[in-house]
């Protein structure tokens, strides 16, 4: 014998439809009914919205308006003596069926049939909802891909512009002498150009999926870069306060991922404050975690950390909700206002960095999130840290770039460093020069992205003509260093300083001296 179908129903007016009789007839039709009796149609409608029964059975007279109070997805059956016109009106309003009190034997079968249809309809709705969500994710992914492509082109162009600013400022500072009044202004220009370079690189990294790239970095600098973009997203009613403890030790981080965490936390703080005036405080400090503090969090160890705090003076988080805030998809925001992933992503990123994340909140006073990132030992100053910039000895360099300003700056930098320079403003011109005299040059410095031939194309062709040629690739695209670069000896990310250019040239041309020095 087949197992009975289990259904849960709400029954209104049991004096007309006896629950025991209904269960008996249902059992004969292989339907196991769980019946909840409610006193009125109003109570049944409210209960149906919360409990989600399989169906509703109403005994006695009922109006069209009363049937319409129930969700459209829910089968509603009426047990009453009605005219044909009244039955038609009830069916058109949404009733699944109308039965006379003396003809209830067919009701259990109808209950099972209509509840099955309702379940299938709900499944179809869920499938359509899933399809819509996946389509939205696909559209978002395509937008991010388009943004990544746009960001790559912008990064290339902006870094070429920054190359001109940084290179000219450095050479001007060298020309005017250390005592010139303009030195302070030129130093500010150099710092601003380097800061702009880092911002361009982080925007480019954020727009593209890539493996985390951790390096030694100063957390306050990463915070300050994030704050530049954050200020533009905050309403005028919210004050953003930033405080840093001076001279913190470095931390090993992926700056882009930490930037994302800061953005997520600041966005949550902004949403918590809402439209009223408030303050978001972002601060960093060095903290030595002892055994007592380490016991409060499984990911904390007894060691030194750089701690980042993001605090708001919003309404706070209820104590019963606080333990769930790092769960994926958990959110207290209105539907459509949040995904519930921001804190979960932040938690995962900090754990990947061997750190810890904690949250404290007091109702009516606000919330503070603290990130603990392991501090690194400060880098030791080498004995030759103050050594002079390595210089060339008249080696012949072929400089290739399709950006005229980069060519001009590069030629001047190389000549000041003691190299003989020949410049080509296109890949085709460089090929013509090199084919004419393959042994003329000791090293080639070429841009990666150029019309006609890429820098990698040139490297392959030049090595075929002269296997001993040294080849340095330059690029404004962050992330190029993560890919294989065959037939090349080094990579320079634009914009680069003259000191960095000198160092790379020295390592490429005199590798044994660089290792032993």
């Amino acid at each position: 014998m087949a197992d009975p179908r289990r259904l849960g129903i709400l029954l209104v007016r049991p004096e007309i439809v006896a629950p025991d009789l209904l269960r008996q007839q249902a059992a004969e039709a292989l339907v196991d009914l769980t019946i909840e009796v409610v006193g009125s149609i109003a109570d049944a409608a409210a209960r149906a919205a919360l409990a989600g029964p399989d169906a509703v059975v109403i005994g006695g007279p009922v109006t069209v308006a009363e049937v319409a109070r129930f969700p459209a997805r829910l089968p509603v059956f009426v047990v009453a003596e009605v005219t044909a016109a009244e039955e038609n009106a009830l069916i058109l309003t949404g009733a699944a069926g109308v039965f006379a009190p003396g003809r209830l034997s067919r009701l259990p079968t109808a209950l099972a049939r209509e509840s099955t249809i309702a379940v299938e309809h709900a499944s179809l709705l869920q499938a359509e909802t899933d399809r819509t969500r996946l389509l939205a994710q696909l559209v978002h992914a395509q937008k991010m891909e388009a943004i990544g492509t746009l960001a790559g082109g912008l990064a290339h162009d902006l870094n070429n512009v920054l190359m001109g600013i940084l290179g000219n400022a450095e050479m001007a500072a060298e020309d005017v002498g250390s005592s010139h009044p303009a030195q302070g202004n030129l130093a500010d220009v150099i710092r601003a150009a380097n800061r702009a370079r880092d911002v361009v690189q982080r925007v480019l990294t954020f727009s593209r999926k890539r493996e985390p790239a951790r390096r030694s970095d100063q957390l306050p600098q990463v915070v300050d870069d994030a704050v530049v973009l954050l200020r533009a997203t905050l309403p005028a009613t919210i004050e953003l306060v930033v405080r840093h403890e001076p001279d913190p030790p470095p931390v090993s981080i992926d700056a882009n991922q930490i930037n994302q965490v800061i953005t997520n936390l600041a966005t949550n703080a902004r949403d918590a404050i809402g439209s009223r005036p408030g303050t978001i405080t972002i601060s960093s400090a060095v903290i030595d975690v002892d055994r007592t503090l380490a016991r409060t969090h499984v990911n904390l160890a007894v060691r030194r950390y750089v701690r980042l705090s993001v605090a708001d003076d919003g309404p706070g988080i209820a104590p019963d909700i606080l333990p769930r805030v790092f769960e994926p998809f958990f959110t207290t925001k209105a539907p459509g206002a949040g995904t519930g992933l921001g804190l979960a992503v932040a938690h995962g990123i900090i754990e990947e960095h061997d750190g810890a994340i904690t949250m404290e909140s007091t109702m009516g006073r606000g919330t503070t999130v603290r990130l603990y990132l392991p501090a690194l030992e400060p880098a030791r100053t080498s004995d030759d840290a103050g050594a002079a910039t390595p210089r060339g000895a008249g080696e012949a360099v072929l400089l290739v770039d399709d950006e005229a300003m980069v060519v001009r700056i590069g030629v001047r930098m190389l000549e000041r460093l003691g190299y003989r320079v020949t410049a080509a403003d296109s890949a085709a011109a460089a090929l013509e020069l090199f084919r004419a005299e393959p042994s003329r040059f000791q090293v080639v410095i070429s841009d990666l992205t150029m019309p006609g031939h890429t820098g990698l194309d040139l490297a392959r062709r030049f090595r075929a003509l002269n296997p001993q040629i040294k080849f340095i690739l330059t690029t404004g695209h962050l992330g190029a260093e993560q890919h294989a670069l065959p037939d090349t000896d080094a990579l320079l990310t634009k914009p680069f300083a003259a000191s960095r250019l000198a160092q790379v040239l020295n390592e490429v041309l005199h590798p044994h001296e660089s290792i032993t020095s």
Side-chain angles (χ1 to χ4, degrees), residues 214 297-299 345-357:
R214 290 167 62 174
H297 198 289
V298 66
N299 290 332
V345 169
H347 184 273
I349 289 174
I350 297 304
E351 281 200 339
E352 287 177 359
H353 283 75
D354 305 314
I357 180 169

Side-chain angles (χ1 to χ4, degrees), residues 30-230:
L30 296 179
V31 177
D32 182 6
L33 281 185
T34 299
I35 301 175
E36 180 181 350
V37 177
V38 290
S40 68
I41 291 177
D43 291 340
R47 185 67 177 153
L50 296 174
D54 294 305
V56 176
V57 176
I58 303 173
V62 62
T63 66
V64 167
E66 288 174 325
V67 171
R69 297 181 65 171
F70 293 92
R73 60 172 175 76
L74 185 64
V76 177
F77 294 89
V78 178
V79 180
E81 295 287 355
V82 297
T83 66
E86 290 171 336
E87 180 177 350
N88 288 335
L90 290 170
I91 295 296
L92 288 173
T93 304
V98 179
F99 295 86
R103 302 181 61 185
L104 294 182
S105 59
R106 294 188 295 117
L107 179 57
T109 303
L111 282 169
R113 182 185 67 248
E114 292 297 330
S115 64
T116 299
I117 293 173
V119 169
E120 291 175 350
H121 180 63
S123 298
L124 288 173
L125 287 177
Q126 183 61 48
E128 182 62 24
T129 300
D130 292 343
R131 176 182 173 278
T132 302
R133 185 180 69 252
L134 290 172
L135 181 60
Q137 291 175 352
L138 175 61
V139 171
H140 177 71
Q142 290 173 335
K143 286 181 179 178
M144 291 304 296
E145 183 179 359
I147 290 172
T149 302
L150 176 63
L154 286 174
H156 180 268
D157 293 340
L158 288 174
N159 281 328
N160 279 336
V161 173
L162 290 172
M163 183 76 204
I165 296 172
L166 183 62
N168 278 305
E170 284 187 332
M171 286 186 287
E174 183 181 332
D175 288 342
V176 300
S178 59
S179 60
H180 196 280
Q183 278 291 349
N185 301 95
L186 291 170
D188 286 341
V189 171
I190 293 170
R191 278 192 295 270
N194 283 321
R195 180 81 171 274
R197 174 194 60 194
D198 292 340
V199 171
V200 169
Q201 290 175 342
R202 284 169 183 165
V203 169
L204 179 59
T205 306
F206 183 77
S207 68
R208 292 183 181 272
K209 291 183 178 180
R210 66 179 183 91
E211 292 299 316
R214 290 167 62 174
R215 66 176 185 180
S216 177
D217 212 333
Q218 288 293 332
L219 188 58
Q221 182 64 60
V222 178
V223 172
D224 291 343
D225 287 344
V227 165
V228 172
L229 299 177
L230 280 175

Side-chain angles (χ1 to χ4, degrees), residues 470-484:
K470 302 296 185 181
F471 202 99
I472 299 173
L473 201 63
T474 67
T475 179
H477 290 271
L478 181 71
E481 68 273 14
Q482 296 179 357
H483 303 291

Side-chain angles (χ1 to χ4, degrees), residues 268-282:
N268 282 347
R270 179 200 65 194
D271 294 344
I273 294 172
S275 59
R276 69 177 186 82
T279 302
I280 298 174
T281 302
I282 303 178

